[in-house]
Amino acid sequence: QVQLQESGPGLVKPSQTLSLTCTVSGGSISSGSYYWSWIRQPAGKGLEWIGRIYTSGSTNYNPSLKSRVTISVDTSKNQFSLKLSSVTAADTAVYYCARESSSSWANWFDPWGQGTLVTVSS
Amino acid sequence: QSALTQPASVSGSPGQSITISCTGTSSDVGSYNLVSWYQQHPGKAPKLMIYEGSKRPSGVSNRFSGSKSGNTASLTISGLQAEDEADYYCCSYAGSVFGGGTKLTVL
């Protein structure tokens, strides 16, 4: 079965760029009609969808983060990545990657990675 | 897109049934968009419990069911068990917007 694993620095300085990678195992990132998404969760708070990418390279981003987010995919490595620029303390959160499925009227995230905590601090 | 509205907390005793609501607008939950539901235990990643409004993934107990009426989607858990104690989130197709989450306490 497909499994996802996030990796990247756990500490980022304010104003710098947060960079995370999600490695997909147990299946090809290019197989099936799936999107690959990033979702985050500040401590003690709810979930926030950041954005998604299709293996063709097409992307969609949360309008509230769009100006700072870039999601890319490397099919040769079975990975997709997140870059969030100009970070502040408000970007401190657990970041999850997830596979996203969709139908005509719905989407859903399954499976999820275990999550990685990123702290923005000097 | 505005966040979907969920009650902050619900509780029930073992064996009872509880329902968690997820209220949106005519533009998201009330339209043709169907929600998904996720269970999250402390320190763990969310787990898909319901998709396309009422479908259960393989391996999810049939004690979990989803429905919709107007602008409100609902997750019902019957035969409540201690292991059901967790946070639950709904998510709308429109904008992939999540609800604020509901903490379920099993008394």
Side-chain angles (χ1 to χ4, degrees):
Chain A
Q1 73 208 39
V2 171
Q3 294 183 311
L4 292 80
Q5 178 69 59
E6 306 88 351
S7 60
L11 181 64
V12 181
K13 288 182 166 52
S15 80
Q16 294 191 342
T17 296
L18 177 161
S19 296
L20 295 174
T21 295
C22 182
T23 300
V24 179
S25 59
S28 170
I29 198 172
S30 300
S31 67
S33 299
Y34 298 111
Y35 292 92
W36 302 91
S37 279
W38 287 97
I39 297 157
R40 69 181 183 178
Q41 184 175 36
K45 297 188 177 181
L47 299 164
E48 179 181 36
W49 174 74
I50 299 170
R52 65 169 67 90
I53 190 165
Y54 195 61
T55 48
S56 65
S58 65
T59 55
N60 300 106
Y61 299 130
N62 186 322
S64 68
L65 298 169
K66 186 175 183 178
S67 64
R68 299 194 291 130
V69 174
T70 301
I71 297 176
S72 59
V73 63
D74 187 335
T75 55
S76 67
K77 294 183 178 179
N78 234 30
Q79 296 176 335
F80 63 107
S81 298
L82 168 72
K83 290 188 185 300
L84 181 65
S85 64
S86 305
V87 298
T88 69
D91 296 309
T92 294
V94 174
Y95 285 76
Y96 295 100
C97 57
R99 187 180 70 179
E100 180 180 349
S101 302
S102 67
S103 61
S104 296
W105 309 113
N107 68 328
W108 57 97
F109 303 99
D110 180 58
W112 297 57
Q114 66 183 30
T116 188
L117 174 63
V118 178
T119 301
V120 178
S121 176
S122 55
Chain B
Q1 297 287 344
S2 300
L4 305 177
T5 300
Q6 298 182 233
S9 63
V10 298
S11 62
S13 299
Q16 290 185 331
S17 294
I18 63 95
T19 296
I20 298 172
S21 61
C22 171
T23 302
T25 69
S26 57
S27 299
D28 43 55
V29 177
S31 71
Y32 291 106
N33 300 308
L34 300 173
V35 306
S36 51
W37 288 92
Y38 303 87
Q39 175 192 65
Q40 186 179 34
H41 288 109
K44 300 295 187 181
K47 174 187 175 184
L48 177 68
M49 304 304 284
I50 295 289
Y51 67 101
E52 289 189 320
S54 60
K55 297 180 180 178
R56 279 188 309 275
S58 174
V60 172
S61 171
N62 60 9
R63 297 185 299 104
F64 292 83
S65 62
S67 62
K68 187 180 90 165
S69 177
N71 295 343
T72 298
S74 298
L75 174 70
T76 297
I77 309 173
S78 59
L80 210 55
Q81 300 179 358
E83 66 205 50
D84 300 331
E85 183 162 297
D87 294 327
Y88 291 84
Y89 295 90
C90 60
C91 182
S92 170
Y93 183 35
S96 292
V97 174
F98 287 90
T102 298
K103 180 177 180 58
L104 169 61
T105 300
V106 180
L107 302 171

